[in-house]
Amino acid sequence: MIYATEQDYKDFTGQTAPSNFARLADKVSKIVDRLTLNRIDQDDNNHIEAAKKAVCAQIEFELSIDDNLANMDNVSSFTVGSFSMNFGGDGQTFKKLCQEAYTYLFDQGLLYRGVSS
């Protein structure tokens, strides 16, 4: 399920959605589903609102970094002068979620990994 529309993005950021919004919203919604273990209850307005805000925040974040870093998953090593980076390609999308998006999901308990009674 895609959790945010172009209008949601505009309401959230005050900016017009980018031309590739549908692709980004689909990508980020899938990340949200994975991170929440598909526990977003479609009948819970708080869950839906948190997912929508998380998707909008993440898209805004990715656009602020020009979506370039998001495409560098397979980099295993990169060095320029004293700068070095190493993306192990471990598939941990959790590291890709910006802090604001993470907070929206966390505040609704959607990232909880403990035991329930």
Side-chain angles (χ1 to χ4, degrees):
M1 169 176 202
I2 297 176
Y3 295 109
T5 65
E6 290 184 29
Q7 186 61 48
D8 293 331
Y9 182 82
K10 184 175 182 178
D11 293 344
F12 183 82
T13 64
Q15 302 169 9
T16 302
S19 60
N20 62 345
F21 179 83
R23 180 186 67 83
L24 293 172
D26 181 56
K27 174 182 128 181
V28 175
S29 292
K30 288 176 182 174
I31 292 170
V32 167
D33 280 338
R34 278 194 302 270
L35 294 178
T36 62
L37 304 175
N38 294 306
R39 289 187 301 207
I40 296 176
D41 182 350
Q42 302 301 313
D43 297 323
D44 186 328
N45 289 335
N46 292 326
H47 282 197
I48 296 299
E49 189 67 19
K52 176 174 64 174
K53 287 181 178 179
V55 168
C56 290
Q58 185 65 27
I59 291 172
E60 181 179 41
F61 174 76
E62 288 193 18
L63 292 174
S64 75
I65 60 170
D66 214 14
D67 203 20
N68 290 330
L69 293 180
N71 295 321
M72 297 179 71
D73 293 338
N74 297 327
V75 175
S76 62
S77 183
F78 182 81
T79 304
V80 175
S82 62
F83 173 77
S84 178
M85 78 178 155
N86 180 359
F87 292 89
D90 58 6
Q92 292 184 7
T93 57
F94 191 80
K95 294 178 183 178
K96 293 181 185 178
L97 202 61
C98 71
Q99 186 62 43
E100 184 178 6
Y102 172 87
T103 301
Y104 289 123
L105 299 173
F106 180 84
D107 287 350
Q108 289 301 314
L110 293 166
L111 299 178
Y112 182 69
R113 298 287 192 264
V115 177
S116 303
S117 54

